[in-house]
Structures are given as C-alpha cells and as structure tokens.
Amino acid sequence: MAEAHREDPTSYTFIAPTPEEAESFAERFARALKGPVPAGNFVTLSKVAEDLHRLAHPGEVLLSRSVVNLLAADAFSDLPADELGVFSPLRSSATFARSAAEAAWDLAIRGEAEIADLLASEEALNLARAVRRGVERVRGRGVFDLADAYRGFDPAGAMEELRNRYGTRLFADGIADLPGAEMGFLLRLLPLFEEATITLDPALWSRGGLEEFLALLAEGGFEEIECRPRDEPLSKGLDSFLLDGPPHPASDLRGLVSVESHPDPEAETFALCREAKRLISEGLRPEDISIVVADPATRGREILRALQDAGVPARLLAGESLLEKKTVQVLLLPFRAAASGYPPELILTLLDGSLPTSPRELEALASAAGLLLLPAGDLASARRSWIAALAEHQSALREMERVLAADETVLESEVAAAARRAESCALVMSRSEELFDRLASMEAAIDGSGLAAVASELGRLIELLRPRLSDSDGDVPALDGFEEAVTRTALTLEALGRADLPLDRLLSILVAALGVPAWAGSARSGAVEILSPALSSKRYRRVKFVAGFNDGLFPSRSANPLYGLNDLSSGRGERNLHLRNDRIERYWLRKAIASSSRTVVTYPRASREGAPLVPSLWLERMAGVSPAAEAEEEPSKSPTILSRRHLRVEYARAIAGGGRLEVPADLLGEVDPLRLRAGEPPFQWRIEDPGVSSTLVVRSFSYSKLRDYRSCPFRFFLTRALGIEEPAPGSLELTPLERGTAYHAVLRAVGGEAPPGADLREGGGEDLVRGEVERTAARFLADEKVRRMEAVRRRIVSAVASDLLGYLRFEAEDPVRAAVGRRRMAEVPFSLELSRMGELLPRSAESYGDLTFRGRIDRIDLGAPGKKGEIEVVLSDYKSSTSGAEWEQLQLYSLALLALGLPEVPARPGSMRALFRIVRRPGISRVLEVHAGEGRMVRQRSKPDPTFAEVDGELREALDGIFQGREFRRAAEVEGSTGGCWGCPFEVEPCAIAAWMAGEGSR
C-alpha cells in the first residue's frame, strides 16, 4: 500500500468496516509515511455501494438507517391485527418497534434463509417480512437504502466509473462475517479492480465463515498467503480472547496487559488519576492515554470530574441519545400530555419546576386533593375537574386553619403550618390556570394541521427555551440536535406523504428517531480520552486503561426479543443473538487492547456501599494475566494528593485507621472539621439513660418491632426509636408491605360478603375482587410518579387481582387443606398489657407487666375441617410469600389469642392450629399445633417444638436487650443476628458513618 501511494496517491482505495476505523487507519498510515494522505481514499464498503448506486441511478436519494427505522416504526404501527398476530398488544411500544425495525433490516441485509435461523419463531419472521414490505412502499419515489445498493449492484459497465473514482488497486482490512447482501456485493466488486489485497484475521470470523469466504475468493482466482505475526504468543493471546473455551496453549498477553484490583470504585478512580498524572509528568502526552469504560455517560463522567479536579486535561466521548436529555424531555412533555388525553400525572409533571415547593410536597398535595385519581379526557374537561378538585381542597384547608386557630390548646406553629398548606394550594391553583392557558394555545396551534404545525410549535418552544440554557451541561448542543432531528423527520414524512398522521403516531416516530445513541464529546484536544470499547477499538493510543472490568458490564446483557435464545449454530455463523452480542463486545475490546502498546485492566472488588463485586469472567480468556497483589502502603508514606476533595478523603481514612496525615499549613482549613472530630470521644452504640430509651422506644411492642430488633438492632433504633423513614426508590411494582396491605384489605372486604368455602369466581365474585383491588391500590398508586401511568396501574391491579383470585380458588377447591372454618372472624386487633398474659408468659409479665403487646390477627376460623377431625380454632396470617413467614409470629399470636378471652373462641380449645396463608403461590405454610392445656406447641416438619416457657424466655431476652441492655449495634457485629447489611438503605449513611465515629474504620 505504501508502494502504491508513492507511485500514485490516487491509484488505490482502502476499505474498512466502519468510518471510524477508516479514519483511524488513515491517521496511522500518514504517521508511517510521515506525510499527508488523501482522506477520500479511506472509505467503507457501504460508501462504495452508495456511490456506485448513485452513478447508476442519478437523482435517487439515500435513505439513512435512521430514516429506514422511522419508516419501519410507521409500518409497524400501521399493520393490521392479523399481521401483528401475537405481537398485537405491543403495537404502541416504541421499544418493540425498534426491535421490529432491527429484524426487518436484518431481513433485507442478510436474506430470508439466514434471518430465519436467527429469529425465534415463524411469527417473528412474518413480522419482519410485514415491516420490510411497509418500508419498501416508498420505492419508486426516487429513494433507496443500502440493501437496494448492495443487491442491485450490476458490475457490467461500472468498471470505468469505478476506477475513475476509486483507482485500480483495492486494499481491505477488518472485514469479517459479512451478511449475505454485503458479501455478494464485495464478490462482484473485487474483479473490477486490477489488483485487490485483503487481510483477514481468522479470530474475527465465526465458525465456518472464513472457510466459506476463502472458497468463494478461490473461485474468483484469489491466492491465499498465510502471514505469521512477529510476536506469535501475543497474537494468539488476542485471538484466544475471541474464541470460546480455554485460551490457546501458546498464547500469552502478559507483554501487553496487566490487571489491577481496587477496594471500591472511589479507590479505582483515584488510582487511575494518579497513574495518568504520573505518566504525563514523565513525558507522555495526554492524547496518548485513554480510559475505556463500559458506560461513558455515567461512570465516565465520574472519572472525568476526578481527572479535572486533579489538573489532568481530559475529555469525554459519551454515547447518549437525545431522548435521554432532560431538555428534550421537557419540550416533548406537553405534546405527550395532549396525545394521551392529559392524564393527571403528566399535568403534575408539567407543574413541577414552576413552583417553589419540593416535588414531594407537590405530590402530597396532589394525593390529598385526589388529583391523581381524576380521569383523562380532553383539555377542557381536564381543566374543569383539576381546578374544581384544587378549589375544594383549598376550602377544606382554610376550614382546618380556622378550626385550629379557634382552639386555644393548639400551638401557633401548627396554625401557621395549616395556613402555609392553604397558601401552597392557592399557588398551585394559580399556576395550574396559567399552565392550562399555555396548553390551550398549543392545542390551537397544532389542531388538525399535522406534522408541520407540531414542528412549528416545537420550534417556537425551542426559541423560548434557548436563552435560559447554558452550554456547561451540553444543553445547547442537545437543543440543536433536537431541532435538527425534528426538521429531518418532518421533511422525511412530508416527502413520503405521511405528514397527516395523528399526534400520538407522530410522537412515536419522533421518539424512535431521538432514541438512537449518538457520539458526542468535547472538542478539546491534547487531553486524556474517556470512551467506550467500541470507540476505543478504532483509536490507537500508547496506554489504555480499561476501568470497571466487572461482570455485568463486560459483557453487558441485552437482546432483541424477536431473536432466538437457543444456540442454533448448525451451519455458518453464530445463530444466537446473545452469543453474537457477546462476541461483538469481545471484538471491540480485543481491538481496543490490540490498538495500544500497554493496557491496564482495573476493577473494584466491592461497591461504594461494600457489596462484593465479581470481576469479569472474560479475565479467564486473557492468557497469562492475573490480578496483581494489592501492595501494602507503608505507614510513613503519604499518598499523592490530587485535589482538595481527595485530601479530605485521605485525611479521614488516616484518622479512621488510628493515624495522622501531615497537611500543609495553607490547607489545614480543609480538614478542620475532621481534626476537631478526631479529638472527641468515640461514638457509643449504647443509650446510657434508661429513661431516654423508654421515651424513644415507647412502652409498647409488636411482633414487627421484635423482628426488626432481632434482624438489626441499629436499624431498629433508627426506624422504631428515632422515626427515620427508610428511603424507598421508585418502582414499577408494589413493595412487599404495600402488596401485603392490599391483600389484607381486599380479603377482608370480599371475605365478609361470601360464605366460607364459596367460589368467588362465580356470580360476579371476580368483578367484586377486581373492584376492591382498584379501590385499595389507588392509595399506593396516587403518590408515586413511576407507578401512576395508566399502563403501569393496570398491570399492578391485574397482578394483585390475579394473585387474590388464585388464592380464593385454592380455598374453594381444597377447604380441608386450607382449613376453612364454618365461621370466620377477620382482622381481630388486640392490645394486651403483658400483666394480662401472666399465666402464659410469667417471666415477661413479671418484669414488663405494664408493657403493651399490640397486633392484629388477620383471620380466625372456627370449626375447620381437618384430616383427623374438626379443628376448633385456626389462627392464620396472610403473607405474600414464604419469605416473611416466621414461627415466632405464630407462637406469640397464638398466646395473644388465648389471653384475649373472645366469647366466640374457647378459653382452652381442645384443638388449635396457627398457620400462614400464602397468597402469591396459593398454599399453607408453617403449620403450628397449639396444645393449650399442656403448655406446648408442635411445629409441623420443623424442630424444635417450643413450650410456652421457652417462648416466654425468648421474648424476655429480646425485651431485656431493648430496655435493659440498650445497645443497638449493626447486624454485622451482633452474634446470632438474623439480618445483614446487604441491600440495607442505611448501609452507607448513617450506618458506616456511625462505625467510623465509633473508631471501627470501614467495614
């Protein structure tokens, strides 16, 4: 190739798989020649096909892949129900539309024979055919896509034009596993050149693929020349990384790759910054260093900030779609509200940000006013119902304020708080009026005018928003990209005669266009790059760091649901999409490693919260490579300080370890709070004053309190004594507590209206259950943004109703096993002073007679059938699953029932049973036989069988720990604790902070 360049720089063309690889090869070729090279000589196969098609069909316009995806999404939405078949419920899913577009594209590029092996079923293949037919409807309108260019290429008469444009010599590298259409195009293209040289890497090809391609080349007269690398063990090490199974015996990556582990991501970040700073200080240019991360948009930003704090020039190349930008979401929100009939959750989201109140306060007001239960509809009806509900709520708040002000026993602060709530409601009502005025103006602008009006209105909103944005967070480029995408989509649909689609269809097409990830990075040169494996594979750098090399990131797990999950690898190629994705990711990383002189792979052994992390299983593929032993840092050696924040972290670590860190006088102010804290006595896990303990814990207890204490005393102290709420992230599902509450409420409601053993599936019983679920679940769905969307709400209600109907079916079909009595008592609350239970629990009553045991028995069945005769009393508690079913609860509740003295329940029943009723997987769990006259209990299929005295002893021990010991340590430090720190929301704050203050260092 260098010889061809010296003879005539226009006589050759180099073909690479991607534009980035072509650009990278051109850059390296120019360095090797020590001079400039024509950039137009380095192209992709798709670019050649596009140019040749234009020469043969002048005037036709190329449809880019993104435009083809738009057409596919539109075609998918237009398909009749009989063609969608089993996929009909997913018609409105933008994500599934993208999956269908991918399958249709593969069908066009690979051909029907190959794609039939890849897809999961005949239905998936039929769907891909139907979507592709919809895309091909635009043929004859002067447009073409790459599939047309590949398959429609006719070499006859193209030789002269080809050589004028691309020269007489062809060079190609990196080609592997070409799909059918590309393979056919390349084989027809090669004979048109006087000379063609293709370098093939066997490790990049799938099983049998290379042999088939070489056979086709041999038929065309090509000669195969085998080249062996100068460093064969290193080359075989890179090749083995792509192959399944153990590494090749002769492979070795030690000369290129080293592996380091770190305690957590924070330590990994500091280590990366220190090493980059050291390399630069030794003369390496920043642009010769790159850091490869699986997720540049999140982890990459953390490393970028740390490098900038350390004074290292750095830039981030992150692949993000415009749809992920908050600015774009804000612009689309009013149109989404209009398309979906102005549901209350979207109106509330539109209000959020224009009010001084916090989102939590706004949601609380909306829940109290019943706003989230309002039905969707047109704008006028939504406005009337919204304002009326706010006015009614404001009136109630004003009345509450008046009543409190007239009561002399009420504190002034409570009256002031009521007044603030009323004022806040008035402000929300005022801003709501303004919002509805703006929405009315938007509706008037887009009403019946199609895409042109939507694009015009979006342009107006963009111009209003632009002056308020700063370029620091990339909002302005995102806005420019959004405007360009809207314009491009509008022009494309208008040219195809599809500009009159309804608003919801237009939005789904626009969302599909905005959802394509685009590489966006700062324009700063001379800086350390942070980028993904895919992008790094196309850039040579002297030193590369691969950070966060943990399982789940390398490789990631994602797949198109239309493709098969089983390995159908008969014939050529990988027929499993999971395997293909894994191989592609390995290919990227292999090329990223190969395009460097030194690679350092790093991974954290635990998360920031202390949860253990597993290194990538790909480490086993790196022959000769193993994690370096973690070096023990000398106590006298001070760490390299990268920034003021890093100084505070290292100073705190030194204090926690019982040492000190020398700090320059001008930086003492940065660590003053830590220095002062170091002189204070260590934190104690114990409450010294018994009066304080009694005040905080209150002189009452329940089984849930005892369970929490046994699980983790410190968490019990935080939640039960201090009243700290556990942070609960938004979820698409009900929490176990919410689900259990819903089960209890619905079973109580429907149980009172049906005789024992009745089948509620008949006679409208199913409608009764679903209606009760709707009413009960409303309170859980009203306060949660994530779960109040209509589709999510329907799914939650359907799931809960299905669980309950399944359980009721179990009771109706097997009343003996379910222990359904002739009479039933539902939700029996109790509040017993332990002195009343002295006969059953004498030791606990003696010391804690004034302590109140509170709880609620979910259900009592009287006269239930059993295998050995009738059971007088059956006490039961409903549970979602067996995970929370504990023997201790049944034991304590059985004694409470015996002490209650209910007239319907015998004082000393001859036969008594306690059990858990499992709703999600209908059945019975933890059956406890209670022999009241003998003072003992028998656990079915479990030992030991406790006596009443043993239950009394366990209760006394737990109460002594709370009120006498008063020591509330972490579960990890309490012998015999039933809980742990894994997944605890308090694991980092305040639990780890308390451990540090107690002088125990890190976990």
Side-chain angles (χ1 to χ4, degrees), residues 114 167 394 453 530 689 782 784 791 793:
E114 187 176 349
Q394 185 189 20
I530 306 168
D689 189 340
E784 292 287 342
R793 185 193 64 79

Side-chain angles (χ1 to χ4, degrees), residues 620-639:
E620 299 177 3
R621 301 180 184 277
M622 296 184 175
V625 172
S626 60
E630 191 178 8
E632 292 291 337
E633 195 168 39
E634 299 176 8
S636 58
K637 181 181 177 183
S638 298

Side-chain angles (χ1 to χ4, degrees), residues 202 205-218 224 572:
W205 289 76
S206 60
R207 296 190 295 272
L210 180 60
E211 290 77 5
E212 181 179 340
F213 184 60
L214 289 175
L216 292 172
L217 290 179
E224 179 185 353
R572 183 177 72 84

Side-chain angles (χ1 to χ4, degrees), residues 807 811 815-826 828 857-866 869-877 890 893-894 897 904-906 909 911-917 924-930:
Y807 175 76
E811 284 200 359
V816 175
R817 184 178 168 217
V820 179
R822 288 181 285 101
R823 294 180 56 202
R824 182 186 308 169
M825 301 169 63
V828 179
I857 300 171
D858 287 345
R859 175 170 160 180
I860 301 172
D861 288 78
L862 303 175
E870 187 177 83
I871 305 169
E872 287 188 54
V873 180
V874 177
L875 175 153
S876 52
D877 192 86
L890 295 180
Y893 276 34
S894 297
L897 178 59
E904 299 90 344
V905 179
S911 57
M912 178 176 173
R913 180 177 294 176
L915 50 85
F916 290 110
R917 300 181 182 273
I924 299 301
S925 177
R926 297 278 198 274
V927 178
L928 182 75
E929 302 289 348
V930 182

Side-chain angles (χ1 to χ4, degrees), residues 125-370:
L125 179 60
N126 291 334
L127 178 66
R129 290 171 180 154
V131 173
R132 183 61 193 175
R133 285 197 300 270
V135 174
E136 291 176 347
R137 287 182 305 185
V138 302
R139 282 182 174 172
R141 300 186 183 183
V143 296
F144 72 98
D145 62 13
L146 278 179
D148 300 325
Y150 287 139
R151 297 189 180 279
F153 172 61
D154 184 5
M159 181 182 297
E160 182 178 356
E161 294 173 339
L162 175 75
R163 293 182 176 180
N164 287 338
R165 170 64 183 85
Y166 292 107
T168 58
R169 296 182 178 182
L170 175 69
F171 300 90
D173 184 40
I175 292 175
D177 277 343
L178 294 176
E182 288 186 65
M183 180 75 77
F185 172 75
L186 179 62
L187 293 174
R188 295 196 302 275
L189 179 70
L190 291 176
L192 302 183
F193 290 90
E194 292 181 2
E195 180 182 334
T197 303
I198 305 175
T199 54
L200 302 174
D201 188 344
L204 303 183
W205 289 76
S206 60
R207 296 190 295 272
L210 180 60
E211 290 77 5
E212 181 179 340
F213 184 60
L214 289 175
L216 292 172
L217 290 179
E219 292 177 6
F222 278 81
E223 180 183 358
E224 179 185 353
I225 301 175
E226 183 178 1
C227 299
R228 304 185 72 84
R230 285 176 294 182
D231 190 344
E232 191 164 358
L234 181 60
S235 176
K236 287 185 179 296
L238 288 168
D239 293 346
S240 291
F241 183 66
L242 280 180
L243 302 176
D244 295 325
H248 192 278
S251 62
D252 194 344
L253 288 176
R254 282 177 294 185
L256 178 62
V257 181
S258 60
V259 180
E260 297 177 0
S261 65
H262 300 281
D264 52 51
E266 195 81 12
E268 181 188 36
T269 301
F270 286 142
L272 290 171
C273 295
R274 279 195 296 267
E275 185 64 12
K277 200 167 187 176
R278 184 187 66 79
L279 291 172
I280 294 171
S281 68
E282 293 177 356
L284 192 66
R285 297 181 302 172
E287 57 265 33
D288 284 333
I289 304 172
S290 66
I291 299 175
V292 182
V293 290
D295 187 5
T298 53
R299 181 74 174 116
R301 294 192 189 281
E302 296 175 10
I303 298 175
L304 176 66
R305 285 192 293 269
L307 287 170
Q308 291 171 341
D309 290 343
V312 178
R315 64 172 180 155
L316 174 68
L317 299 171
E320 284 185 298
S321 68
L322 288 171
L323 201 59
E324 296 173 8
K325 296 291 186 180
K326 185 177 180 181
T327 307
V328 174
Q329 295 176 10
V330 169
L331 287 168
L332 289 176
L333 193 56
F335 298 91
R336 287 177 50 208
S340 54
Y342 298 99
E345 60 273 7
L346 288 186
I347 297 176
L348 196 65
T349 306
L350 285 166
L351 279 174
D352 194 7
S354 65
L355 294 165
T357 56
S358 68
R360 185 176 293 275
E361 291 172 339
L362 182 60
E363 289 183 10
L365 185 148
S367 178

Side-chain angles (χ1 to χ4, degrees), residues 629-705:
E630 191 178 8
E632 292 291 337
E633 195 168 39
E634 299 176 8
S636 58
K637 181 181 177 183
S638 298
T640 303
I641 300 300
L642 300 174
S643 64
R644 294 177 183 270
R645 176 174 175 271
H646 186 207
L647 170 65
R648 293 192 293 270
V649 171
E650 293 294 348
Y651 192 88
R653 284 181 175 174
I655 292 176
R660 289 298 176 111
L661 185 70
E662 294 297 327
V663 178
D666 58 331
L667 294 177
L668 285 175
E670 296 291 332
V671 296
D672 269 344
L674 295 172
R675 288 198 301 140
L676 295 173
R677 173 63 223 170
E680 296 180 10
F683 173 77
Q684 300 293 325
W685 299 97
R686 190 172 188 272
I687 300 177
E688 296 294 341
D689 189 340
V692 172
S693 179
S694 297
T695 303
L696 289 175
V697 180
V698 186
R699 301 295 291 179
S700 66
F701 76 99
S702 62
Y703 167 72
S704 60
K705 278 189 177 182

